[in-house]
């Protein structure tokens, strides 16, 4: 009975309520923006020239909407970021889409860091399990944190949204985070937007090649991330065992 009442109390904590409200609002924004874009482009989604002509006529609004989609995706992670990046490449071209996604990802990451530092661990646990966050022990090692952060954001396939939430629990400054991750995001972003651009131009052979290579690199990146995580978890456990 005590455990049940404790769990109930935790669910009703102010942090959880605020996190739920924030999650609900951001999810609604993402859905509304997505539906809005589908309504606008539903009649000529297969005509890339008309899509890009529309974007050029409404460049400010179109850019702001895509930046907002990328930012909200980072905060809420409703869908894989690659889908939003491919859509950006389709609408804005490879380089334009990459720039828009980079700005959106940076804005979204800053929002995540500020929210985590405002509401703390309970806010993070609304999105990711406590056990998962606790497993990223290397983030608390200042000697390795910056270099590993850069490397993991550089490799496609690593859980960048998860890492951003975890970094929010450390003392890494926001300027340092932006400096480390902005350039590091480039490879994964440009491959996705190049693929989206190729689809829009009906260059399906290039799109398949790009997506296949990206998928292969992502799998390798995911494996590397797990190896790094397990290695540092083992080192930490050994240190704790020696201290005992």
């Amino acid at each position: 009975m005590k455990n049940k009442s404790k769990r109930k109390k935790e669910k009703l904590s102010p942090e959880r309520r605020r996190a739920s409200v924030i999650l609900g609002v951001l999810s609604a924004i993402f859905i509304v923006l997505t539906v809005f874009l589908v309504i606008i482009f539903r009649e000529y989604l297969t005509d890339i020239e008309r899509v890009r002509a529309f974007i050029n006529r409404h460049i400010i609004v179109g850019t702001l909407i895509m930046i907002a989609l990328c930012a909200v995706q980072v905060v809420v992670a409703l869908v894989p970021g690659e889908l939003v990046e491919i859509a950006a490449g389709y609408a804005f071209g490879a380089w334009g889409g990459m720039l828009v996604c980079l700005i959106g990802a940076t804005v979204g990451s800053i929002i995540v860091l500020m929210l985590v530092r405002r509401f703390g661990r309970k806010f993070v646990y609304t999105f990711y399990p406590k056990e998962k966050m606790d497993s990223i022990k290397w983030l608390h090692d200042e000697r390795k944190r910056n270099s590993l952060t850069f490397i993991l954001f550089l490799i496609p396939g690593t859980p960048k949204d998860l890492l951003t939430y975890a970094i929010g629990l450390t003392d890494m400054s926001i300027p340092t985070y932006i400096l480390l991750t902005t350039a590091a995001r480039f490879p994964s972003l440009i491959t996705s937007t190049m693929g989206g651009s190729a689809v829009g131009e009906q260059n399906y052979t290039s799109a398949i090649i790009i997506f296949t290579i990206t998928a292969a690199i992502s799998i390798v990146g995911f494996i590397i991330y797990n190896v790094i995580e397990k290695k540092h978890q083992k080192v930490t456990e050994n240190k704790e065992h020696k201290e005992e």
Side-chain angles (χ1 to χ4, degrees), residues 31-97:
I31 293 169
V32 169
L33 289 176
T34 302
V35 171
F36 179 68
L37 289 176
V38 170
I39 291 173
I40 290 176
F41 296 121
R42 71 183 185 280
E43 295 181 358
Y44 47 95
L45 274 175
T46 57
D47 188 341
I48 188 62
E49 296 301 326
R50 292 182 67 187
V51 171
R52 291 182 180 172
F54 180 91
I55 292 293
N56 289 332
R57 290 197 305 271
H58 305 85
I59 188 66
I60 295 177
V61 174
T63 301
L64 289 176
I65 289 175
M66 186 55 69
I67 287 174
L69 279 173
C70 293
V72 174
Q73 185 279 323
V74 171
V75 179
V76 183
L78 281 173
V79 295
E82 288 77 10
L83 294 181
V84 178
E85 293 158 13
I86 290 169
Y90 181 93
F92 291 87
W95 293 99

Side-chain angles (χ1 to χ4, degrees), residues 132-133 135-139 148 151-153 155-164 166 217-232:
K132 187 65 178 175
M133 301 307 297
S135 69
I136 314 177
K137 297 181 183 296
W138 55 266
L139 276 174
L148 284 174
I151 291 169
L152 291 174
F153 272 82
I155 303 171
T158 55
K160 297 174 179 62
D161 296 343
L162 167 66
L163 290 172
T164 300
I217 295 173
S218 297
I219 292 171
V220 174
F222 183 76
I223 293 171
I224 291 172
Y225 171 77
N226 279 283
V227 169
I228 291 174
E229 185 178 297
K230 288 178 182 178
K231 178 182 176 181
H232 283 274

Side-chain angles (χ1 to χ4, degrees), residues 125-149:
Y125 299 154
T126 303
F127 298 91
Y128 297 101
K130 180 180 183 299
E131 295 75 18
K132 187 65 178 175
M133 301 307 297
D134 290 345
S135 69
I136 314 177
K137 297 181 183 296
W138 55 266
L139 276 174
H140 298 281
D141 185 342
E142 293 184 13
R143 295 173 300 173
K144 300 176 181 178
R145 182 174 61 203
N146 288 0
S147 58
L148 284 174
T149 296

Side-chain angles (χ1 to χ4, degrees), residues 195-215:
S197 181
V199 170
E201 294 163 4
Q202 297 184 354
N203 190 348
Y204 299 120
T205 301
S206 295
I208 291 171
I209 292 172
I210 291 169
F211 290 141
T212 301
I213 293 174
T214 303

